[in-house]
Amino acid sequence: MNQEVLLQEAAAAIVQRNAEGALAVARKALELGADPLAVMEQGFTRGLIQVGDLFERGELFLPELIQCAEIMKSVSGILNEAISVERREIAGRVVIATVEGDIHDIGKGIVVSLMRARGLEVHDLGRDVPAETIIRKAVELDADVIGTSALLTTTMAGQKELEETLRREGLRERFITIVGGAPVTERWARRIGADAYAEDANDGVKKIFQLLAERRR
Ligand code: B1M
């Protein structure tokens, strides 16, 4: 089967809130040997973004949005697990969380799976996590990297607070910081003083490896 058709079916299953159909597409993708990351990002995620647009225009309501998110969670359970593990040695230690006040964690889940698959040791603190808690955990675990995800324009402030707290506590140089999430931009990362902005999971992992290599030079 053509991969583009599969991706369209994945997106459509989310928009149509077809839970069984979505699981069937995820399983079919794996049977056919499709790249699970591509199916998540170019298929199911595309559908979820359409759902977000419908919600924004008032053409779909919160219960339906929640239903779509739940379907997305169940397919990501299958596909994130299947993201191929390329290397086993630990390349660096990452503490990651969705910032305080924000419960969006589907994208972070994809990022975490890819990080683990590429050999990073990842401590996922979950969602709605205060900056102070993220920092305490990173210090306790002697992490190399602190990653944060924010999906609301209002909660992006949590990423700024993290940078400010690190600076105030004299800890800024100790960690590499990386920020992501739909409203987050390169400009925002620069403005708050984060080391990197990541557009998606691949970009995030690539930048972490670059920054780890620079630090070890
Ligand atoms: Co919410 N929501 N939501 N929502 N929701 C948005 C974000 C919104 C844009 C929808 C819209 O109106 N168009 C809007 C925000 C508007 C704004 O801030 N300007 C919105 C709103 C308003 C809300 C509520 C306030 C709704 C309400 O209650 N009235 C509420 C807020 C709750 C809260 O957090 N306090 C809410 C709730 C929810 C659900 C619970 C129903 C559900 C989340 C379920 C869950 O995550 N467990 C949900 C969903 C699903 C969405 C949309 C539709 C999809 C988000 C998503 O999962 N995308 C979203 C619309 C949109 O984003 N266009 C929307 C797919 C995911 C794979 O992408 O998360 O961007 P993303 O992650 C990507 C990259 O950004 C990047 O890599 C990922 C993989 O490629 N990335 C990183 C992300 N983090 C990274 C970290 C990194 C590196 C890369 O390194 C550390």
Side-chain angles (χ1 to χ4, degrees), residues 37 40-41 44-57 62-70 72-73 94-99 101-111 115 127-128 145-155 159 177-184 196-205 208:
L37 185 63
M40 276 305 290
E41 295 202 321
F44 289 110
T45 296
R46 234 197 271 161
L48 198 57
I49 288 170
Q50 282 176 44
V51 164
D53 293 343
L54 292 170
F55 175 72
E56 199 173 5
R57 295 202 298 268
L62 193 57
E64 286 124 0
L65 179 64
I66 293 173
Q67 207 184 338
C68 294
E70 278 166 3
M72 186 76 178
K73 278 261 174 184
V94 182
V95 163
I96 190 168
T98 301
V99 294
D102 199 325
I103 62 167
H104 296 85
D105 64 355
I106 295 171
K108 173 174 64 66
I110 300 175
V111 175
M115 284 176 173
R127 53 193 191 168
D128 187 13
V145 181
I146 298 179
T148 51
S149 185
L151 264 287
L152 298 170
T153 43
T154 48
T155 58
Q159 296 178 325
T177 58
I178 181 159
V179 291
V184 177
Y197 154 71
E199 189 182 0
D200 56 28
N202 254 321
D203 190 34
V205 171
I208 286 177

Side-chain angles (χ1 to χ4, degrees), residues 70-144:
E70 278 166 3
I71 298 172
M72 186 76 178
K73 278 261 174 184
S74 58
V75 292
S76 55
I78 298 179
L79 290 170
N80 288 355
E81 276 285 301
I83 293 176
S84 63
V85 176
E86 281 179 5
R87 38 184 304 170
R88 284 272 173 209
E89 90 236 35
I90 299 302
R93 188 171 296 142
V94 182
V95 163
I96 190 168
T98 301
V99 294
E100 187 167 22
D102 199 325
I103 62 167
H104 296 85
D105 64 355
I106 295 171
K108 173 174 64 66
I110 300 175
V111 175
V112 166
S113 299
L114 190 68
M115 284 176 173
R116 289 191 173 135
R118 298 290 181 269
L120 293 162
E121 179 187 312
V122 185
H123 298 264
D124 182 0
L125 309 188
R127 53 193 191 168
D128 187 13
V129 187
E132 196 62 49
T133 307
I134 301 173
I135 294 170
R136 294 284 72 82
K137 201 69 192 172
V139 169
E140 180 194 321
L141 294 166
D142 195 19
D144 303 294

